[in-house]
Amino acid sequence: MRVKTLEELAGSGVLKGRRVLIRSDLNAPHDEAGNVTDDTRLRASLPAYRMALEAGAAVMVMSHRGRPTEGSLRPEDSLEHVAARLSELLGRRVPLVRDWLGGVEVKPGEIVLLENCRCNKGEKKNDPELARRYASLCDVYVNDAFGTAHRAQASTEGVARAAKVACAGPLLAREIDALTRAVEEARHPLMAIVAGSKVSTKLTILNHLAGRVDRLVVGGGIANTFLLARGASIGRSLAEPDLVPECLKVLETLKSKGAEMPLPVDVVVSKSFSPEGPYRTCAVGEVADDEMILDIGPESRRALDREVRAARTIVWNGPVGVFEMEPFAGGTKALAESVAAATAQGAFSIVGGGDTISAVRSFGVADKVSYISTGGGAFLEFLEGKTLPAVAALEARADDPVSL
């Protein structure tokens, strides 16, 4: 993918004295009082602000928070506490501007935060007039919110087409580069690990990846449904029997291109979904009717380790067991360590999805994978082969001349 970047524009000197509108994702977790409890997204957005400020721009930051009703602003929807935390992180005051559609007063070298853009009527429906009003505020529009790139909204897609100049911020640019490297320009063997509770939520991803990868690994309830498709007994394990025909189609696609899906050969089972109850390890064919599969077993972990270490590109979304419960965390922990080891040996690894990110952090390997995607839904839609509207809008402007 080819897009203009903020880094390119800052380096060329064209931002000096210009008004720059940056779309960030500052939708951070908060407590009942509204205070930010996890500032990861805020910290990830700082490089774009510093880059624009150092280039001499007047910076306006636009973000959403939660899912407010358009046309109204409740206290819990406000970015007031986000502005306070940004001020602390940047070491300078970041004022919150509440009524900003009619214009914003900000001088070169200054930065302001605009109140929740999802409170504006027409934001979610990508109203063209609202997008033009956003564009009128600035000389340069910057999208640095990959987490919203799959949404065609006025602040993500419409304004990118209406602004004088549109480009990607450093966070969005890194996401585009990492995902392109992982899927479209992957070194082979390419392995994708897709796990979760239901095949139905990942079926499009599985179908798309089956035609591209050399190894497709599934875990959790998804693996259980594929085990059913292979004729295995899974007891009371979470599965979707009605989707067995769809699983067989995925397996056939893999077979037709010489790819494989290594399924578990042993599993950790329990009669209760609890870390307190008794559990045991058994072969896949020995799961009792009243037992549930909650993790992969040691033999499956060793086999998966060999597969992962042989890969040159690894895309991972979803834990392979109920890793939040200690008795069933072994499979995901082993997989995280295998991905880290493969990365150390030269493989490119990308991890995405909230549970997967939590897992690699819990097991101490977050800094040992090549890239952690912050995208959530955008990450999944990219894996599905879908066009991300916000990125497509930037691609369409990539070759436009910069005339400010």
Side-chain angles (χ1 to χ4, degrees), residues 195-214:
S197 58
K198 295 182 178 182
V199 172
S200 54
T201 62
K202 302 283 180 73
L203 188 58
T204 307
I205 296 172
L206 293 170
N207 280 320
H208 181 69
L209 291 177
R212 304 178 72 101
V213 303
D214 304 294

Side-chain angles (χ1 to χ4, degrees), residues 109-172:
E110 294 181 345
I111 179 172
V112 298
L113 176 62
L114 310 181
E115 187 58 280
N116 196 334
C117 63
R118 283 194 182 163
C119 293
N120 297 329
K121 290 184 177 180
E123 164 64 19
K124 294 179 183 178
K125 292 185 177 180
N126 200 11
D127 179 66
E129 178 55 34
L130 180 61
R132 284 191 288 270
R133 293 184 73 179
Y134 290 161
S136 69
L137 300 174
C138 66
D139 300 301
V140 176
Y141 166 76
V142 182
N143 192 330
D144 205 34
F146 182 74
T148 65
H150 59 308
R151 303 187 186 282
Q153 298 181 343
S155 68
T156 62
E157 199 269 353
V159 63
R161 297 188 183 276
K164 297 175 185 175
V165 177
C167 68
L171 180 60
L172 179 62

Side-chain angles (χ1 to χ4, degrees), residues 3-140:
V3 298
K4 280 190 180 70
T5 68
L6 179 63
E7 184 176 12
E8 293 169 0
L9 296 180
S12 69
V14 299
L15 297 184
K16 187 174 179 61
R18 300 298 180 181
R19 297 169 63 85
V20 174
L21 176 63
I22 302 177
R23 175 52 159 110
S24 298
D25 182 1
L26 304 178
N27 188 28
H30 54 277
D31 60 22
E32 292 183 358
N35 298 305
V36 174
T37 56
D38 181 349
D39 62 9
T40 301
R41 290 180 177 175
L42 277 62
R43 290 178 182 274
S45 300
L46 298 180
Y49 310 155
R50 290 178 175 138
M51 191 178 294
L53 288 168
E54 290 170 5
V59 180
M60 297 163 283
V61 178
M62 175 168 55
S63 177
H64 71 284
R65 186 180 195 181
R67 297 179 178 178
T69 300
E70 291 187 358
S72 66
L73 176 68
R74 301 173 302 174
E76 58 266 36
D77 299 325
S78 177
L79 293 172
E80 178 182 357
H81 293 283
V82 172
R85 183 60 184 140
L86 278 180
S87 298
E88 294 172 352
L89 293 172
L90 279 172
R92 60 189 299 163
R93 183 168 176 264
V94 181
L96 178 66
V97 181
R98 297 190 183 278
D99 298 313
W100 50 273
L101 286 178
V104 179
E105 291 187 12
V106 57
K107 298 176 182 178
E110 294 181 345
I111 179 172
V112 298
L113 176 62
L114 310 181
E115 187 58 280
N116 196 334
C117 63
R118 283 194 182 163
C119 293
N120 297 329
K121 290 184 177 180
E123 164 64 19
K124 294 179 183 178
K125 292 185 177 180
N126 200 11
D127 179 66
E129 178 55 34
L130 180 61
R132 284 191 288 270
R133 293 184 73 179
Y134 290 161
S136 69
L137 300 174
C138 66
D139 300 301
V140 176

